[in-house]
Amino acid sequence: MKDKKLRLGILGLGEGRSTISAALSSPKVELVKMCDLNIDVCKQRAKEFDFHDYTTKYEDLLNDASIEAIAIYTPDHLHASHIKLALQHDKHVVCTKPLIDDLKDAAELIEIQKKTGKKLFVGQSSRFFQPMKRQRMDFEDGLIGDLVTVEAYYNADHRWFLEKPWALEDSFKWLYGGLSHPVDFIRWYLPEVEEVMGYGMLSENGKKGGLKNYDTMQFIYKSKDGRIARVGGAYSGPVQPVQRDSEMSCILRGNLGCSQGDYMDLRYAITDKDGEERMITWEHKLKHFFRFEGKSHHAGEYENYLNYFADSIQKDFTAYPDLIEGIGTIVLLKAMERSLASGKPEKTSKIIQEFGLEEYLQ
Ligand SMILES: NC(=O)c1ccc[n+]([C@@H]2O[C@H](COP(=O)([O-])OP(=O)(O)OC[C@H]3O[C@@H](n4cnc5c(N)ncnc54)[C@H](O)[C@@H]3O)[C@@H](O)[C@H]2O)c1
């Protein structure tokens, strides 16, 4: 049927709250059931959205034959096992970032996906924000010419996040939880990074909050074709006023022009190939992107990506980032982690080999 809606189940209702809102307002998605281990969270969301089909058992989503796709928003270290179960139960999958935080399951996930033929899409929200969509379109239209270098960053005062119990576990790393956003920008424009070098530290604020791993990091990258890029992030201290600087930003420097997408601020600026300078904002889209308190959530981006994913199933094309592209980003994050430990440049090819991914990734 042509205009059939994608029947969706949502797992994890913290940030999954944005996905509930996105699914309920999307013309292409039908929310069937939502799930959280914590019954109080289920009840809170049911009341907030007046949507009462919830469960505390993941099996209830997995065994519901009417659910075609599962959207996963559980803590980072649980994504691999939750994805595996969804694929094994013949469901398409949307998984939030970071796709996984360890490569030990990567080859198995690829094999399971191949066997089941189901689609997996990484909910890499930052690509689906208006300024970043516009930046990509202008880049593809040749407005800045050939890309020379990329600079991306994501800094945020995320001390509030440390109230979540899993944020203080050894397994939680801002490297994966935070830098996966700007690192995805690097891979979007320079997919073939072969080497990375970086430094990191755990700040006094982070230590005080109980964090176990680095909260402050800077990296530089070299691509196979010689082009270079850089990424940075700091997560336990105040940030600049939004009029002066964005929390998350991507700068593309081309041979003919330059552009910058500012994430939360719905702001984009370009000096194009004809020497024209433009600054664009989307005030009228504020209500699409931000629906609850302030700008602390991602409902608008999620609706954009759910629509794209639903189209990919309806029209049978691949929605990107897919599993292979997503694992490529985790390979790069792993090389970054190695560089933090060794204090030396690290090659992505070494990581690919170590985790037996040569036949899947170049
Ligand atoms: N921009 C973005 O894309 C974005 C933004 C925020 C968070 N996230 C991602 O969303 C994920 C969740 O983060 P959060 O901030 O919502 O954390 P959270 O702790 O607030 O919520 C996670 C929820 O998952 C539930 N849960 C845990 N194990 C479960 C299980 N086995 N079955 C069912 N429910 C289970 C918990 O009870 C909790 O309510 C993380 O991977 C995070 O990186 C993405």
Side-chain angles (χ1 to χ4, degrees):
M1 257 207 309
K2 258 205 143 113
D3 50 3
K4 192 175 149 285
K5 289 185 174 186
L6 177 67
R7 290 177 59 84
L8 189 74
I10 301 176
L11 182 71
L13 304 179
E15 182 59 21
R17 176 192 188 199
S18 301
T19 322
I20 303 169
S21 167
L24 291 174
S25 58
S26 162
K28 297 176 187 247
V29 176
E30 181 183 341
L31 181 58
V32 178
K33 207 185 289 255
M34 55 191 191
C35 171
D36 197 291
L37 270 184
N38 184 335
I39 184 75
D40 294 334
V41 175
C42 290
K43 286 183 180 161
Q44 195 185 341
R45 299 302 177 226
K47 189 166 167 219
E48 179 180 2
F49 294 101
D50 194 17
F51 180 87
H52 301 275
D53 213 338
Y54 61 78
T55 173
T56 55
K57 295 192 197 81
Y58 188 20
E59 305 87 75
D60 291 342
L61 298 190
L62 297 169
N63 295 326
D64 184 333
S66 77
I67 293 177
E68 297 167 277
I70 295 181
I72 298 172
Y73 299 85
T74 47
D76 302 354
H77 60 284
L78 302 176
H79 294 174
S81 63
H82 288 153
I83 293 170
K84 212 186 292 182
L85 282 167
L87 291 173
Q88 282 166 339
H89 285 78
D90 227 26
K91 311 292 185 197
H92 300 294
V93 177
V94 178
C95 183
T96 188
K97 50 54 56 178
L99 172 64
I100 46 179
D101 63 355
D102 192 317
L103 287 167
K104 67 180 173 20
D105 301 302
E108 189 190 0
L109 286 177
I110 297 170
E111 284 303 322
I112 294 174
Q113 191 201 19
K114 268 207 228 163
K115 212 156 82 191
T116 61
K118 291 289 150 182
K119 290 186 190 293
L120 183 142
F121 165 69
V122 186
Q124 196 61 63
S125 58
S126 29
R127 288 191 190 189
F128 294 83
F129 209 66
Q130 209 68 27
M132 277 51 194
K133 278 158 59 107
R134 176 59 182 261
Q135 183 174 38
R136 183 73 187 187
M137 194 180 82
D138 284 356
F139 169 71
E140 285 175 359
D141 286 348
L143 263 60
I144 64 162
D146 294 330
L147 184 68
V148 178
T149 187
V150 189
E151 295 149 39
Y153 55 83
Y154 176 28
N155 303 297
D157 192 348
H158 274 339
R159 281 175 284 184
W160 61 271
F161 193 84
L162 307 184
E163 283 169 22
K164 299 178 196 268
W166 60 281
L168 302 185
E169 287 174 17
D170 284 339
S171 57
F172 178 73
K173 294 173 182 150
W174 276 123
L175 175 67
Y176 290 85
L179 282 178
S180 49
H181 284 295
V183 168
D184 177 65
F185 292 144
I186 300 296
R187 290 206 73 243
W188 205 12
Y189 291 100
L190 286 180
E192 303 212 305
V193 172
E194 65 169 6
E195 196 168 281
V196 58
M197 165 78 211
Y199 290 109
M201 57 172 273
L202 178 54
S203 70
E204 283 305 317
N205 283 351
K207 269 185 220 161
K208 227 184 279 166
L211 266 174
K212 304 294 181 300
N213 297 298
Y214 292 163
D215 60 0
T216 309
M217 292 158 276
Q218 302 287 341
F219 293 91
I220 48 176
Y221 306 84
K222 186 162 77 69
S223 184
K224 273 187 190 149
D225 59 16
R227 286 182 291 179
I228 53 176
R230 82 173 141 99
V231 150
Y235 297 100
S236 305
V239 292
Q240 284 289 76
V242 71
Q243 294 84 349
R244 177 62 186 86
D245 192 16
S246 181
E247 287 191 2
M248 195 191 298
S249 197
C250 178
I251 303 173
L252 302 180
R253 300 188 192 279
N255 62 338
L256 304 177
C258 181
S259 68
Q260 180 162 15
D262 283 341
Y263 190 62
M264 291 293 182
D265 322 321
L266 286 167
R267 187 173 58 209
Y268 172 65
I270 182 167
T271 301
D272 73 13
K273 61 182 175 30
D274 301 318
E276 280 196 10
E277 298 171 9
R278 286 186 292 287
M279 175 105 88
I280 304 169
T281 56
W282 290 268
E283 285 290 316
H284 66 288
K285 293 233 174 198
L286 273 172
K287 279 198 181 116
H288 169 75
F289 283 102
F290 303 113
R291 305 172 189 186
F292 327 129
E293 314 79 46
K295 292 182 173 175
S296 62
H297 59 91
H298 303 270
E301 301 132 76
Y302 293 5
E303 186 170 334
N304 291 353
Y305 75 49
L306 284 183
N307 289 342
Y308 170 59
F309 186 55
D311 279 346
S312 80
I313 291 168
Q314 186 76 246
K315 299 174 187 158
D316 198 20
F317 63 83
T318 302
Y320 293 102
D322 63 351
L323 181 60
I324 295 293
E325 188 178 357
I327 287 175
T329 298
I330 306 300
V331 165
L332 183 51
L333 285 159
K334 181 56 99 181
M336 291 160 64
E337 194 174 3
R338 288 279 164 84
S339 178
L340 291 177
S342 68
K344 294 184 183 138
E346 295 286 343
K347 289 201 182 300
T348 49
S349 56
K350 217 169 104 188
I351 307 284
I352 289 174
Q353 213 177 13
E354 184 180 326
F355 288 91
L357 296 168
E358 302 97 314
E359 63 177 294
Y360 313 113
L361 307 176
Q362 275 114 35

